[in-house]
């Protein structure tokens, strides 16, 4: 049978173990502080108490948790922050400041709260808060041993608060960095867009083409389930896919007649030139020069510059290839009116599996179908093509039919394989 | 009585204007907060006395003690008395050591607790004061 003193010691040890567990396991700051306050109160049978966090810059002890005080606990206690600065100049220990200034400053308030024992929470020379305790349920004074128990627990609670503060600071900085990163991405995207406009200026027939290809590319990639950053990268690939045209003679690009073989050969250099321009830029994703290089390849091997077939063509290039063709079909050129939507569907029906990858065409038309069916809030095709271009009542069956056909085709291919 | 979805229920019952709340096997933060909520709910209902029954309670940790002190405080503020019943040896030692027993009455069991409350009401004894 333990003596009363031993029993108290065992209870205090158990409470210290509880304290460590609460500090380590509780992620929510307020809840952690509330639990640690409970541990201190329960360790010594104290009826009321509070833990306040110190904001030295604001000169404030902010009450984070209070127990047994009813509505008496204030939100905070204020002090002159200059006093703390001056005190720290005289002595490195903020506990001295606490003893010399704060206790007397708050005496009336502490009496009103029936607080008899106040312990500053000091970690690495920083005043992080204070713990304020009322009387014990036994109505006896605190013994020196009990004060030592409180001081020990206060050190742990101080470290808990200090660590949570560090965590908050790390989170704040991480958020700042995220914001900075987002801002830089926005600047990057806008620069790329501006560059895309510059590319299109070279071709008087295709104003806005690169930007639209970027947007269609983004839609298709998203429909294929690509992640946000991958979508961002391939969209930029879409914006810059024709960057190689910068080295092609403007007269060839803008020729109002059928160009000859030599001119055609010159024009067909633009994918390789685009790759040469973009590939030395190590800060950009590999997908961007890859798109520039292979966006004129065809599934059947009749494309250029390398005549790759099927799986040899990177998926990113297949996506931009379809986006590029879709925009070419659906925009007016000086020498040619754009195709009506049924013709576009028919063109893709004929060329899918020859020029275009079926999964990419399926993604493109699935995205269109979703917009036609009102499943997407953003009406991106309507904005790019004009409101009246896609007529849901008339054209929806065509899209469904094409998708069914491509779906069957894919299944059949899979079965054969 | 279940007070929060998905949580272990805290058993309690009314006997006139007395509420009997049964603590679980281990009174710690989670179970203590549930007991506390139930006690506060009963006080808000207008109960004039709380019987906290500890027949199943083998252990009470520091947070459990603090929460019980809060329940005693809330009862005092509401003018209600608190009786601890069927307290087992280990918990009784903790309650005695930390002074909780100065603010509540102790009863052997629930029946004894209800009888104590009835008697004190008959002779007009102030709640919780046993000194």
């Amino acid at each position: 049978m333990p003596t009363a003193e031993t029993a108290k010691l065992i209870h205090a040890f158990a409470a210290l173990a509880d304290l460590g567990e609460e500090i380590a396991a509780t992620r929510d700051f307020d809840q952690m502080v509330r639990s640690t306050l409970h541990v201190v109160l329960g360790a010594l049978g104290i009826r009321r108490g509070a833990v306040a966090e110190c904001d030295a810059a604001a000169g404030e002890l902010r009450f984070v948790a209070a127990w047994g005080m009813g509505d008496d606990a204030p939100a905070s206690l204020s002090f002159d922050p200059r006093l703390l600065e001056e005190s720290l100049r005289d002595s490195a220990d903020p506990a001295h400041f606490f003893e010399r200034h704060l206790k007397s400053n708050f005496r009336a308030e502490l009496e009103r709260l029936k607080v008899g024992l106040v312990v500053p929470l000091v970690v690495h020379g920083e005043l992080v808060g204070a713990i304020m305790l009322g009387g014990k349920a036994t109505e006896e004074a605190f013994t020196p041993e009990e004060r030592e128990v409180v001081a020990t627990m206060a050190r742990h609670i101080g470290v808990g608060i200090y660590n949570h503060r560090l965590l908050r600071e790390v989170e704040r900085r991480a958020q700042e960095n995220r914001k900075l990163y987002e801002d830089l991405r926005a600047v990057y995207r806008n620069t790329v867009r501006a560059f895309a406009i510059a590319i299109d200026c070279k071709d008087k027939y295709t104003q806005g083409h690169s930007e639209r290809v970027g947007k269609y590319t983004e839609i298709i990639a998203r429909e294929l389930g690509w992640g946000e950053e991958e979508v961002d990268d391939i969209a930029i690939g879409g914006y810059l896919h024709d960057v190689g045209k910068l080295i092609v003679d403007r007269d060839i690009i803008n020729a109002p007649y059928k160009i000859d073989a030599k001119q055609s050969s010159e024009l067909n250099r633009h994918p390789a030139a685009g790759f040469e321009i973009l590939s030395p830029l190590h800060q950009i994703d590999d997908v961007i020069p890859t798109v520039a290089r292979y966006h004129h390849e065809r599934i059947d091997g009749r494309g250029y510059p390398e005549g790759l077939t099927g799986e040899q063509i990177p998926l990113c290039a297949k996506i931009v290839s379809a986006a590029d063709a879709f925009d070419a079909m659906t925009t007016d050129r000086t020498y040619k009116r754009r195709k009506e939507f049924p013709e576009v569907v028919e063109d893709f029906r004929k060329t899918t599996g020859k020029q275009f990858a079926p999964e990419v065409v399926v993604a493109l038309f699935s995205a269109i179908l979703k917009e036609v069916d009102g499943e997407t809030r953003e009406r991106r095709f309507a904005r790019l093509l004009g409101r009246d271009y896609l007529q849901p009542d008339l054209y929806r069956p065509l899209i469904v039919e094409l998708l069914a056909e491509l779906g069957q085709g894919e299944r059949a291919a899979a079965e054969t394989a | 009585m279940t007070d929060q979805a998905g949580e272990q229920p805290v058993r309690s019952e009314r006997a006139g204007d007395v509420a009997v709340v049964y603590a679980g096997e281990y009174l710690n933060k989670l179970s203590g907060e549930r007991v506390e909520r139930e006690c506060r709910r009963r006080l808000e209902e207008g109960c004039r006395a709380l019987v906290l029954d500890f027949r199943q309670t083998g252990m009470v940790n520091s947070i459990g003690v603090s929460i019980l002190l809060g329940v005693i405080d809330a009862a005092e503020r509401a003018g209600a008395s608190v009786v601890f019943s069927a307290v087992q040896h280990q918990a009784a030692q903790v309650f005695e050591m930390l002074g909780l027993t100065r603010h509540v009455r102790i009863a052997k069991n629930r029946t004894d607790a209800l009888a104590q409350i009835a008697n004190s009401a008959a002779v007009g004894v102030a709640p919780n004061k046993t000194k």
Side-chain angles (χ1 to χ4, degrees):
Chain A
M1 181 78 175
T3 63
E5 284 312 306
T6 310
K8 275 188 183 176
L9 202 60
I10 292 170
H11 184 71
F13 270 127
L16 265 172
D18 292 338
L19 189 66
E21 196 178 311
E22 292 303 327
I23 290 171
T26 315
R27 284 188 61 82
D28 178 84
F29 177 71
D30 287 1
Q31 203 187 330
M32 184 274 286
V33 175
R34 198 163 46 244
S35 296
T36 54
L37 174 63
H38 271 314
V39 172
V40 178
L41 300 181
L44 300 174
I46 301 166
R47 298 199 62 180
R48 51 174 40 216
V51 176
E53 185 187 10
C54 179
D55 183 341
E60 206 172 61
L61 276 176
R62 185 176 63 86
F63 279 63
V64 183
W67 188 247
M69 290 184 169
D71 299 326
D72 295 343
S76 64
L77 296 173
S78 300
F79 61 88
D80 185 346
R82 285 170 303 181
L83 279 178
L84 178 58
E85 275 177 40
E86 283 166 19
S87 176
L88 287 177
R89 248 180 263 138
D90 300 338
S91 156
D93 188 355
H96 290 166
F97 161 77
F98 198 87
E99 291 298 326
R100 249 189 282 162
H101 297 287
L102 286 194
K103 269 190 175 174
S104 54
N105 194 29
F106 299 143
R107 181 168 294 133
E109 189 66 8
L110 295 175
E111 276 172 14
R112 186 182 72 79
L113 295 170
K114 295 180 192 150
V115 165
L117 181 60
V118 187
V119 181
L121 307 175
V122 178
V123 182
H124 297 318
E126 187 185 328
L127 180 65
V128 296
I131 182 160
M132 304 166 204
L133 304 172
K136 295 193 296 178
T138 57
E139 293 170 10
E140 294 161 356
F142 288 100
T143 64
E145 291 79 14
E146 286 171 334
R147 285 174 184 270
E148 196 54 45
V149 168
V150 172
T152 304
M153 290 185 158
R155 281 197 289 275
H156 284 282
I157 296 170
V159 170
I161 291 176
Y162 185 81
N163 286 345
H164 268 265
R165 274 187 180 185
L166 281 184
L167 195 67
R168 278 203 303 249
E169 183 60 15
V170 168
E171 280 168 1
R172 189 184 65 77
R173 289 192 183 183
Q175 204 165 350
E176 269 180 17
N177 285 345
R178 268 197 298 276
K179 168 90 173 54
L180 194 62
Y181 173 75
E182 289 303 324
D183 287 350
L184 282 173
R185 289 290 293 186
V187 169
Y188 173 49
R189 275 192 292 260
N190 289 338
T191 307
V192 166
R193 272 190 196 136
F195 202 53
I197 291 166
I199 295 164
D200 291 343
C201 279
K202 189 147 190 191
D203 186 340
K204 68 179 182 185
Y205 300 128
T206 59
Q207 297 288 305
H209 169 69
S210 296
E211 186 161 11
R212 287 191 301 274
V213 171
K215 286 177 177 165
Y216 291 132
T217 297
E218 187 184 329
I219 293 170
I220 298 169
R222 195 159 274 140
E223 187 65 30
L224 284 168
W226 285 29
E228 210 54 44
E229 279 202 19
E230 292 170 305
V231 168
D232 257 12
D233 285 331
I234 195 174
I236 289 164
Y239 282 114
L240 299 180
H241 73 288
D242 272 344
V243 69
K245 283 189 178 171
L246 290 175
I247 61 117
V248 178
D249 193 323
R250 188 184 285 266
D251 292 339
I252 295 175
I253 294 173
N254 293 314
Y257 49 82
K258 191 170 167 54
I259 54 179
D260 62 28
K262 192 178 166 214
Q263 289 169 321
S264 180
S265 163
E266 173 71 10
L267 183 62
N268 291 357
R269 276 181 56 218
H270 83 269
F275 179 76
E276 279 170 34
I277 292 169
L278 295 170
S279 57
L281 307 177
H282 298 298
Q283 291 80 5
I284 63 173
D285 195 273
D286 286 349
V287 90
I288 298 166
T290 303
V291 158
R293 184 177 199 168
Y294 296 123
H295 72 277
H296 279 295
E297 297 290 353
R298 292 169 54 110
I299 301 292
D300 57 11
R302 293 173 55 214
Y304 63 94
E306 295 178 25
L308 302 179
T309 59
E311 293 305 307
Q312 291 176 321
I313 306 168
L315 179 58
C316 57
K318 291 173 181 171
I319 293 171
V320 175
S321 168
D324 189 20
F326 184 77
D327 183 63
M329 291 180 210
T330 54
T331 45
D332 286 332
R333 305 283 162 103
T334 312
Y335 55 87
K336 195 171 74 177
R337 293 282 300 165
R338 70 172 171 179
K339 292 181 178 179
E340 289 303 318
F341 188 69
E343 285 177 83
V344 174
V345 173
E346 189 51 31
D347 267 18
F348 271 100
R349 186 198 310 279
K350 284 181 187 159
T351 50
T352 299
K354 294 175 190 155
Q355 184 173 354
F356 305 113
E359 70 270 28
V360 172
V361 177
V362 166
L364 170 62
F365 282 90
S366 297
I368 296 173
L369 185 63
K370 279 180 188 166
E371 185 166 315
V372 165
D373 286 345
E375 286 177 31
T376 51
R377 281 174 62 195
E378 270 192 296
R379 307 196 64 76
R380 302 190 66 179
F381 285 102
R383 276 212 303 273
L384 291 162
L385 296 165
R387 259 193 323 178
D388 302 327
Y389 187 74
L390 289 173
Q391 296 180 35
D393 294 341
L394 283 175
Y395 301 150
R396 189 183 183 283
L398 298 177
I399 304 168
V400 172
E401 198 181 321
L402 176 69
L403 288 173
E405 205 174 294
L406 293 176
Q408 276 171 3
E410 279 184 336
R411 267 201 300 276
E415 279 163 19
T416 311
Chain B
M1 169 72 207
T2 305
D3 52 1
Q4 296 270 306
E7 287 185 353
Q8 285 250 313
V10 171
R11 225 182 101 213
S12 77
E13 63 199 20
R14 281 285 292 256
D17 60 0
V18 180
V20 184
V21 178
Y22 297 87
E25 288 172 18
Y26 180 28
L27 197 65
N28 58 6
K29 183 166 77 174
L30 281 179
S31 59
E33 283 176 347
R34 289 198 289 269
V35 167
E36 185 217 344
R37 276 199 295 270
E38 183 62 9
C39 290
R40 286 185 192 274
R41 190 181 73 82
R42 291 300 191 180
L43 290 170
E44 279 167 18
E45 277 179 9
C47 288
R48 308 296 298 161
L50 289 175
V51 174
L52 275 163
D53 190 284
F54 294 97
R55 75 175 77 159
Q56 290 190 320
T57 311
M59 276 183 72
V60 182
N61 77 353
S62 53
I63 299 183
V65 170
S66 175
I67 287 171
L68 288 177
L69 285 167
V71 170
I72 294 168
D73 186 61
E76 281 180 4
R77 286 173 195 265
S81 60
V82 181
V83 180
F84 286 0
S85 70
V87 186
Q88 294 186 30
H89 177 69
Q90 199 178 352
Q93 207 180 21
V94 171
F95 294 160
E96 176 65 33
M97 178 177 78
L98 298 175
L100 275 72
T101 47
R102 290 181 176 228
H103 305 275
V104 299
R105 276 175 282 166
I106 301 293
K108 278 189 302 217
N109 52 40
R110 175 187 174 280
T111 313
D112 184 28
L114 292 175
Q116 278 193 33
I117 292 165
N119 288 340
S120 62
V123 296
V125 176
N128 292 356
K129 294 295 173 188
T130 55
K131 289 192 291 181

